[in-house]
């Protein structure tokens, strides 16, 4: 029997379908020092962001020769040593289509939150404070949204932002995208100087460090907003707090952090910041789509 280990949870209907198709599904989270040994008894592992599949874990699995497939439920695979797994005969894949709409909607939610003080006024009112005159915000219609990275999530966000009356510009490591002429391409530095809102949709590459640090924040417009629903680490958190304190940035929406769960109380409690605990794909619809896509990948691989 083909055995599937699900370490970070999966939609119930997807698990039910796999079991109905004859797969054994085990739902259990293991710390890294134990995970490698456990993987000797599984053909597939399904992870989200909590489980880290680094070289030492992969080495133990490879030694047994059973593990054939690693599936990341979601988009980013920075918690997996992908190249090393592939070199050792293990296929690595993700579910890139499933959560695009959900993450795009969360980015917009953060944009509204910091533009209209929803984040801080919500807290103040619960404390009995009526600061109506203090919360004079800005409209997002007519503003320029700069997208850093132009993959599936960015394109979904571009469509939604355009419908809300924003002008969308973008940058991407591959350069200008041929089939998106309705949006204007800029190099990163020029985009940062031009955009009223900057939303990040790029992976974190540890050896490269933060994509948005002090120098990049200094380039941004006075009173601009930064949204990060991509990956912790792509923004220098200390530099971001400094930019908010100085008034360089009017606000920031943050769903992802360098350390998760984050212990950066200065950032989380900042009055100009709207924060969520890495919930970009946490909608019922996205979870259903992720589960369906994972099931399809497994069934296709073992057909």
């Amino acid at each position: 029997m083909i055995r599937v280990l699900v370490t970070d949870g999966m939609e119930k209907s997807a698990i039910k379908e796999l079991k109905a198709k004859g797969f054994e599904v085990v739902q259990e989270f293991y710390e890294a020092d134990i995970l490698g040994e456990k993987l000797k008894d599984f053909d597939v592992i399904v992870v989200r962001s909590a489980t880290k599949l680094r070289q030492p874990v992969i080495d133990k699995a490879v030694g047994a020769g059973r593990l054939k497939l690693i599936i990341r439920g979601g988009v980013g695979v920075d918690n997996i040593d992908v190249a090393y797994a592939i070199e050792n005969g293990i296929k690595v894949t993700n579910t890139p289509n499933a959560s695009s709409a959900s993450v795009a909607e969360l980015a917009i939610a953060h944009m509204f939150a910091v533009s209209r003080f929803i984040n801080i006024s919500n807290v103040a009112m619960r404390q009995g404070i009526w600061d109506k005159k203090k919360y004079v915000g800005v409209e997002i219609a007519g503003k320029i949204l700069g997208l850093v990275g132009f993959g599936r999530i960015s394109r979904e966000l571009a469509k939604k932002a355009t419908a809300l009356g924003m002008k969308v510009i973008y940058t991407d490591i591959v350069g200008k995208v041929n089939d998106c002429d309705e949006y204007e391409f800029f190099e990163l530095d020029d985009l940062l100087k031009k955009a009223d809102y900057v939303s990040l949709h790029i992976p974190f590459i540890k050896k490269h460090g933060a994509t948005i640090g002090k120098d990049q924040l200094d380039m941004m417009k006075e009173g601009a907003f930064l949204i990060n629903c991509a990956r912790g680490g792509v923004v220098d958190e200390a530099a971001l707090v400094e930019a908010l304190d100085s008034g360089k940035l009017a606000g920031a929406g943050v769903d992802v952090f360098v350390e998760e769960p984050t212990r950066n109380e200065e950032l989380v409690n900042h009055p100009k910041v709207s924060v969520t605990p890495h919930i970009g794909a946490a909608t019922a619809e996205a979870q259903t789509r992720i589960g369906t896509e994972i099931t399809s990948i497994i069934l296709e691989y073992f057909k």
Side-chain angles (χ1 to χ4, degrees), residues 15-196:
I15 293 173
K16 185 177 179 180
E17 182 176 355
L18 286 173
K19 289 181 177 180
K21 297 286 187 181
F23 294 84
E24 181 183 348
V25 181
V26 176
Q27 299 181 77
E28 189 73 40
F29 175 83
Y30 296 104
E31 297 293 347
D33 57 341
I34 300 173
L35 181 59
E37 288 295 329
K38 294 294 182 181
L39 283 177
K40 293 178 179 180
D41 298 321
F42 288 91
D43 303 277
V44 183
I45 180 171
V46 179
V47 304
R48 296 297 298 271
S49 58
T51 297
K52 314 299 181 187
L53 291 172
R54 302 303 182 198
Q55 183 174 334
V57 173
I58 294 170
D59 279 339
K60 290 181 180 179
V62 168
R66 182 165 181 175
L67 187 66
K68 303 174 183 68
L69 180 62
I70 296 171
I71 304 174
R72 164 67 162 92
V75 179
V77 291
D78 44 287
N79 55 320
I80 304 167
D81 285 345
V82 177
Y84 189 75
I86 294 172
E87 286 171 10
N88 284 277
I90 302 170
K91 182 177 180 179
V92 181
T93 187
N94 61 353
T95 59
N97 301 308
S99 58
S100 298
S102 297
V103 179
E105 287 188 5
L106 183 64
I108 288 174
H110 278 300
M111 288 165 59
F112 277 122
V114 292
S115 299
R116 297 302 306 273
F117 299 99
I118 295 170
N119 58 320
I120 191 65
S121 64
N122 189 279
V123 174
M125 286 192 67
R126 292 170 190 270
Q127 297 171 345
I129 302 171
W130 186 271
D131 267 340
K132 180 177 179 178
K133 293 181 180 180
K134 184 177 180 181
Y135 303 130
V136 179
V138 296
E139 298 176 0
I140 69 172
K143 302 299 192 300
I144 298 173
L145 171 62
L147 300 173
V148 180
F150 205 58
R152 292 177 177 85
I153 295 171
S154 256
R155 296 187 196 198
E156 188 69 29
L157 178 54
K159 289 189 291 184
K160 296 179 187 301
T162 300
L164 290 168
M166 303 188 82
K167 178 183 177 181
V168 176
I169 62 177
Y170 74 95
T171 190
D172 195 276
I173 193 170
V174 302
K176 188 177 185 298
V177 179
N178 293 328
D179 60 347
C180 292
D181 291 338
E182 64 268 43
Y183 312 119
E184 193 172 357
F185 173 83
F186 286 86
E187 296 295 340
L188 177 60
D189 289 0
D190 294 327
L191 178 144
L192 293 173
K193 294 171 185 176
K194 191 174 181 64
D196 301 296

Side-chain angles (χ1 to χ4, degrees), residues 238-251:
L240 175 57
V241 170
E242 183 181 330
L244 292 164
D245 285 343
S246 70
K248 174 66 178 181
L249 294 188

